Amino acid sequence: MNRLLIFLIPWKDLNMLLMKIITKYVYELLEKDCNLKKVSIPVDATESEPKSFIFMSEDALTNPQKLMVLIHGSGVVRAGQWARRLIINEDLDSGTQIPFIKRAVAEGYGVIVLNPNENYIEVEKPKIHVQSSSDSSDEPAEKRERKDKVSKETKKRRDFYEKYRNPQREKEMMQLYIRENGSPEEHAIYVWDHFIAQAAAENVFFVAHSYGGLAFVELMIQREADVKNKVTAVALTDSVHNVWHQEAGKTIREWMRENCCNWVSSSEPLDTSVESMLPDCPRVSAGFSCCQMQSHEDLLLCFLL
């Protein structure tokens, strides 16, 4: 019977269920295996407003030497994940940030894990009650009650049919965006202002994948002096940033050339220089034609040494 029920669930819904299970499990691993704590944001949120969260090591703000900040890419991934496809098809070490975090902690780094795709919560849309026109009519009360009863029965049958035909229409949902964290870019700036900028670490290091690289460049544009003062180096992996479209100034581009490196998908040997049309950080081969996360772990090991 249970197998039959699984086959009756639409693929889209089954996929969403799997994503929720994976996300919940990775969150548990971040807390139990990596000893990170979940920190709610906005930091001054009221009880009733939408909230998100990040993960931090106990010494993230007090470690005097070094702090590692991890930013994943866009899409369905959440804090602690690099690629859902690799988690499902390969393993957790390939698709999550857990190996990065464990190695960073072992090397004496404080750690902050951003959650840039957790931008809103979904709530049920309030139902709009339309006043029946019969209420304002001059019809006798008995006739009006009879009509209302028929109308309610008709609506009940229609709702049942809609629920049977399309279970997803049972509830209409709306999105409530999280204050100052409504996009990956906003999230990166918020975490910088309220956490990273307050950290005691003399050296801050970023590892940013895909859209996470764009979010970091936007952070630089908005907080250039502060970032230059605290950040020592940035490892980008298949970053999709564009200094022209994002209007990064000359001083930012010069800093990126000295302090950033973007490992990109390439069939060339690892660390081979790859030509770029952008005048910013060096681009080098990740050593894979498809930039798998196994290579990202290798990059981090080199980055930490």
Side-chain angles (χ1 to χ4, degrees):
M1 182 64 181
N2 290 338
R3 291 180 182 176
L4 178 61
L5 288 174
I6 290 174
F7 282 117
L8 289 175
I9 299 175
W11 169 249
K12 182 180 178 183
D13 297 338
L14 195 59
N15 191 44
M16 287 179 62
L17 178 61
L18 181 60
M19 288 191 297
K20 288 180 180 178
I21 293 170
I22 289 172
T23 295
K24 184 174 183 293
Y25 184 59
V26 172
Y27 287 164
E28 290 176 358
L29 291 177
L30 292 178
E31 292 186 283
K32 294 177 181 177
D33 283 18
C34 300
N35 298 315
L36 303 186
K37 59 180 180 177
K38 184 188 286 188
V39 179
S40 181
I41 55 175
V43 293
D44 59 346
T46 63
E47 189 66 30
S48 59
E49 76 171 294
K51 304 174 191 65
S52 181
F53 51 86
I54 59 173
F55 288 90
M56 298 168 48
S57 62
E58 287 290 341
D59 67 338
L61 302 184
T62 59
N63 187 315
Q65 297 300 322
K66 39 193 184 177
L67 172 66
M68 178 70 67
V69 181
L70 303 175
I71 315 178
H72 59 62
S74 61
V76 296
V77 290
R78 293 294 184 268
Q81 301 176 34
W82 288 131
R84 190 72 53 83
R85 177 181 61 81
L86 287 175
I87 295 173
I88 296 171
N89 297 334
E90 299 292 334
D91 52 38
L92 288 169
D93 282 350
S94 301
T96 73
Q97 298 172 352
I98 290 171
F100 289 66
I101 296 166
K102 288 182 175 180
R103 178 61 187 271
V105 171
E107 293 286 340
Y109 286 76
V111 176
I112 295 180
V113 178
L114 271 62
N115 200 11
N117 293 335
E118 195 81 23
N119 309 128
Y120 58 84
I121 62 169
E122 284 195 335
V123 297
E124 188 177 356
K125 267 188 180 180
K127 294 180 180 178
I128 301 173
H129 297 283
V130 180
Q131 187 176 10
S132 173
S133 59
S134 61
D135 292 345
S136 59
S137 70
D138 296 328
E139 292 179 330
E142 184 180 346
K143 184 178 180 181
R144 188 163 62 245
E145 287 175 8
R146 194 162 54 245
K147 285 178 66 176
D148 288 345
K149 184 178 180 182
V150 172
S151 176
K152 287 177 182 177
E153 288 298 323
T154 302
K155 183 178 183 301
K156 189 184 294 185
R157 285 195 297 270
R158 184 174 64 247
D159 289 347
F160 175 80
Y161 171 73
E162 284 295 332
K163 181 179 176 180
Y164 175 79
R165 186 173 66 89
N166 185 4
Q168 297 307 308
R169 292 194 61 182
E170 183 180 357
K171 292 182 180 179
E172 285 193 70
M173 309 300 286
M174 61 184 291
Q175 296 174 349
L176 296 179
Y177 281 84
I178 296 161
R179 174 165 53 91
E180 299 182 77
N181 287 270
S183 69
E185 295 91 328
E186 282 188 3
H187 177 75
I189 293 169
Y190 185 89
V191 176
W192 175 272
D193 288 345
H194 292 83
F195 298 94
I196 304 170
Q198 315 303 324
E202 185 178 344
N203 299 290
V204 176
F205 301 86
F206 275 78
V207 179
H209 176 59
S210 188
Y211 201 89
L214 186 149
F216 174 79
V217 172
E218 187 62 29
L219 169 63
M220 273 219 73
I221 292 170
Q222 300 299 327
R223 302 288 187 271
E224 181 177 353
D226 293 338
V227 170
K228 286 180 176 179
N229 186 50
K230 286 190 75 75
V231 177
T232 300
V234 181
L236 304 171
T237 56
D238 268 341
S239 174
V240 297
H241 72 273
N242 188 306
V243 291
W244 292 138
H245 293 165
Q246 294 180 258
E247 299 183 355
K250 181 182 178 182
T251 53
I252 290 176
R253 299 196 302 271
E254 290 174 347
W255 186 90
M256 289 182 68
R257 274 196 290 273
E258 295 296 323
N259 298 277
C260 301
C261 186
N262 188 15
W263 280 268
V264 298
S265 301
S266 171
S267 57
E268 296 293 324
L270 179 65
D271 288 335
T272 302
S273 180
V274 176
E275 187 176 354
S276 172
M277 297 182 69
L278 295 175
D280 51 28
C281 60
R283 284 162 50 98
V284 298
S285 172
F288 290 80
S289 56
C290 178
C291 195
Q292 297 174 316
M293 292 302 158
Q294 290 94 328
S295 67
H296 293 173
E297 184 178 359
D298 292 338
L299 298 177
L300 180 61
L301 299 182
C302 297
F303 185 58
L304 294 176
L305 295 176

